[in-house]
Amino acid sequence: MNLLSVLPLAFVMIAGPQIISAIFLASSRNAKRSSLAYLVGAGLGILVALTVWYVVFHTVHGAGNGQHKHSGTRRVIDWVVLLVLLALMVMIFARRRRSQPPKWMSRLQEAEPRFAFGLGFLLFIAMPSDEATMLAVAGSLAGHDKPWWNLLPFLCLTLLLLALPLLALLAFGQRATAALPKIRNWANDHSWLVSEAVVLIFVAIVVSDLL
């Protein structure tokens, strides 16, 4: 297990209401300020959750004394990660038929930065699928003796993907504003397929470690 193995899970983090909210904000009245506040809130929520899960698994992994017990603890963590990933696949599959964004997203057209910040924080720290993804990432790295800072590239990639609507707005202006609804509809309909594929690949990596 290495840092590059967990990076693709960044796509799973933003698939669904997370990226759709970012697209709504990028076409809102306060697009730039609200989008930036959303990213800051999301970054804080992700950092807190990743750190908590890393400390938990690092503590459990460090509790093993001796090489044999240390290896046994690593296998237990891998099994926990595997079970969480399988549960994550079920969650992603279950929400695949949500053809329309939740009604509360209509508020994002007039969202103020404070609201966008809170939304970004809560969407990532309170969403079960994201918690499961962050648990898998932090558990995999902590269980394989990777230092805490290895979480940061995953965090940065997640935020970069989440910032794509804002970056498109800054780069292309009104042309991006016209294209964003089409991208939003595509993400709402098809992102679950890509998420399932990414999680399945990570499941294969964890299984190979167990074997």
Side-chain angles (χ1 to χ4, degrees), residues 173-191:
Q174 290 301 318
R175 285 181 294 173
T177 303
L180 285 175
K182 297 179 182 179
I183 298 173
R184 181 185 68 212
N185 293 336
W186 185 94
N188 195 54
D189 293 337
H190 301 97
S191 61

Side-chain angles (χ1 to χ4, degrees), residues 17-146:
Q18 295 83 356
I19 189 62
I20 294 173
S21 295
I23 294 172
F24 267 112
L25 288 170
S27 56
S28 68
R29 181 169 56 87
N30 297 311
K32 296 177 182 178
R33 293 173 58 217
S34 294
S35 294
L36 184 58
Y38 179 72
L39 291 172
V40 173
L44 180 60
I46 296 169
L47 181 62
V48 169
L50 282 174
T51 300
V52 169
W53 284 121
Y54 180 87
V55 170
V56 169
F57 283 107
H58 183 72
T59 302
V60 171
H61 187 48
N65 295 319
Q67 187 64 33
H68 178 72
K69 189 173 180 180
H70 197 63
S71 177
T73 305
R74 175 180 295 175
R75 286 183 62 83
V76 169
I77 292 175
D78 281 343
W79 275 109
V80 170
V81 170
L82 178 60
L83 291 175
V84 169
L85 288 171
L86 294 176
L88 177 60
M89 292 186 70
V90 172
M91 284 188 281
I92 293 171
F93 186 77
R95 74 184 186 191
R96 74 194 186 286
R97 295 190 183 278
R98 296 180 183 177
S99 58
Q100 296 297 327
K103 292 182 179 180
W104 57 263
M105 283 190 177
S106 61
R107 294 181 57 189
L108 299 182
Q109 296 294 332
E110 302 295 328
E112 296 294 332
R114 181 179 298 181
F115 177 84
F117 173 86
L119 177 66
F121 183 83
L122 290 175
L123 271 181
F124 285 91
I125 206 166
M127 187 71 70
S129 58
D130 280 340
E131 281 295 335
T133 305
M134 290 185 285
L135 183 154
V137 170
S140 297
L141 294 178
H144 289 78
D145 300 311
K146 303 301 181 183

